[in-house]
Amino acid sequence: MIGRSRRDAGQAFPIYVVMVAGLLFLVFAFFAVGKAAALRNGAQGAADAAALAAANEMRRNYEKGFLASLPEDLLSQYLQRHPTIGCIAAEGLASANQADFVDCRETLGGRRDRVTVDVEGRKTVDSSVLPGSENTRAKAKATAEVEFLCDWTSVDLNDDSIRDVFYFTCEDGFLEIRPSSPPPWDQVSKILYDVHLVDN
C-alpha cells in the first residue's frame, strides 16, 4: 500500500511540473502581450502628437500666403494649391514621446489639408516566450487634418472705406481681416482653421 502511494506520487510529480511550467508560460505570455499592447499604445500616442504638431505647423505657415491671396478669386486658388511645411515639427514630438520618426506625408485637399506621420517606438517587447520579440518594436501611424472653416462674405468693393477689409463667416462667428494691418495670426488662424485627428 505504501509502495503504491509512493509510485502514484512519483507518477504525479511530472504532471505537476508540466502544469506549473504551463502556467508560468501563460503568465509570461500574458505579460508579453500586455507589454506589447502598452508599447503599441505609446507609439500611437507619439504618432498622434507628431501628426498634430505637423498640422499646427502647417497652419502657422499659412499666414503670408493666405493674406496675399485675398480677395476671393485668389483665395479660392490658394485653398486649392499652396505650400505646406509641417513635417519638420513632427520629428521633435515623436522623439519627445519615446518614438523614432519614420515618415511624414502632406496632402493638399482644398479646404482640408492632411498630414500623415509614421513612427516606431524605441522599446522592444523582448519576451523570452515570443521568439524574435527582442527586435520587435511597436509601429503606429496617425493623420491630422487642417480644415478651413470659413466662407467669404460679399461686400461692395466700390466702397473705398472697406476696400482693404475682407470679411468671413466662420463656425466661431464673424471675422474681418485687413491685410495692411492684420490681427495676430495665432489668434485668427484658430478661427479660420481647425486642426484635428482623422482616421487613417
Side-chain angles (χ1 to χ4, degrees), residues 39-121:
L39 292 176
R40 176 69 177 79
N41 289 338
Q44 188 61 57
D48 291 347
L52 287 171
N56 277 303
E57 183 66 19
M58 288 166 64
R59 180 169 62 181
R60 277 193 291 272
N61 283 308
Y62 289 164
E63 180 177 10
K64 290 183 180 179
F66 180 88
L67 295 176
S69 73
L70 303 176
E72 185 175 11
D73 55 342
L74 294 178
L75 176 63
S76 297
Q77 296 178 40
Y78 172 78
L79 291 175
Q80 293 295 328
R81 185 173 58 255
H82 54 266
T84 57
I85 306 173
C87 284
I88 192 171
E91 188 169 357
L93 260 292
S95 180
N97 286 277
Q98 301 301 308
D100 291 326
F101 173 85
V102 176
D103 190 28
C104 182
R105 301 169 301 284
E106 299 172 1
T107 306
L108 289 176
R111 298 172 71 95
R112 298 172 184 267
D113 297 337
R114 290 188 173 188
V115 57
T116 299
V117 178
D118 294 281
V119 304
E120 187 173 63

Side-chain angles (χ1 to χ4, degrees), residues 1-72:
M1 198 71 175
I2 294 176
R4 173 182 265 184
S5 297
R6 288 178 177 173
R7 280 200 306 273
D8 291 344
Q11 292 172 352
F13 182 73
I15 297 174
Y16 291 142
V17 171
V18 171
M19 290 178 61
V20 170
L23 287 173
L24 287 174
F25 178 83
L26 288 175
V27 168
F28 285 120
F30 280 124
F31 177 78
V33 171
K35 183 178 180 181
L39 292 176
R40 176 69 177 79
N41 289 338
Q44 188 61 57
D48 291 347
L52 287 171
N56 277 303
E57 183 66 19
M58 288 166 64
R59 180 169 62 181
R60 277 193 291 272
N61 283 308
Y62 289 164
E63 180 177 10
K64 290 183 180 179
F66 180 88
L67 295 176
S69 73
L70 303 176
E72 185 175 11

Side-chain angles (χ1 to χ4, degrees), residues 3 9 23 40 45 54 58 66 83 89 101 113 115 133 138 152 159 161 164-166 171 174 176 184 193 198 200:
L23 287 173
R40 176 69 177 79
M58 288 166 64
F66 180 88
F101 173 85
D113 297 337
V115 57
S133 62
W152 185 276
D159 185 342
S161 66
D164 186 43
V165 183
F166 300 93
E171 290 186 4
F174 187 74
E176 66 176 60
Y193 294 93
V198 296
N200 290 304

Side-chain angles (χ1 to χ4, degrees), residues 155-167 176-181:
V155 295
D156 182 6
L157 295 180
N158 293 317
D159 185 342
D160 291 337
S161 66
I162 59 173
R163 183 69 59 104
D164 186 43
V165 183
F166 300 93
Y167 300 93
E176 66 176 60
I177 298 177
R178 188 182 295 272
S180 60
S181 56

